[in-house]
Amino acid sequence: VQKTLDHVTIRLVITDRAAADAGQPRLRAEVCKVLGAGIQLNIEYVTTIPLNATGKHRPVISEIPVRI
């Protein structure tokens, strides 16, 4: 979920908290390679990721207003 140009939240459904915590530095490094070192990255562990109205998952959600 991207709320601003420099802030992204990644929501992960996990089964092993210890493994997820151990892998977090690598995940952060890989995301920063793609999005840039200046990105503010939050990682949230969730139990489910909700489906949208069509019954599908949205892998990317941008909440940045579009200016035309």
Side-chain angles (χ1 to χ4, degrees):
V1 179
Q2 186 174 19
K3 296 189 179 273
T4 64
L5 291 176
D6 63 348
H7 184 238
V8 172
T9 298
I10 295 177
R11 294 183 181 141
L12 297 174
V13 177
I14 61 168
T15 56
D16 183 339
R17 176 68 186 242
D21 287 343
Q24 210 176 103
R26 182 172 178 203
L27 175 60
R28 287 181 179 281
E30 294 299 319
V31 170
C32 287
K33 279 184 195 176
V34 175
L35 300 180
I39 197 76
Q40 182 181 357
L41 181 63
N42 291 348
I43 298 174
E44 294 179 356
Y45 300 141
V46 297
T47 56
T48 62
I49 296 178
L51 303 175
N52 65 16
T54 62
K56 298 180 181 179
H57 288 110
R58 286 183 61 191
V60 176
I61 300 171
S62 176
E63 295 179 353
I64 299 172
V66 177
R67 295 184 183 154
I68 299 177

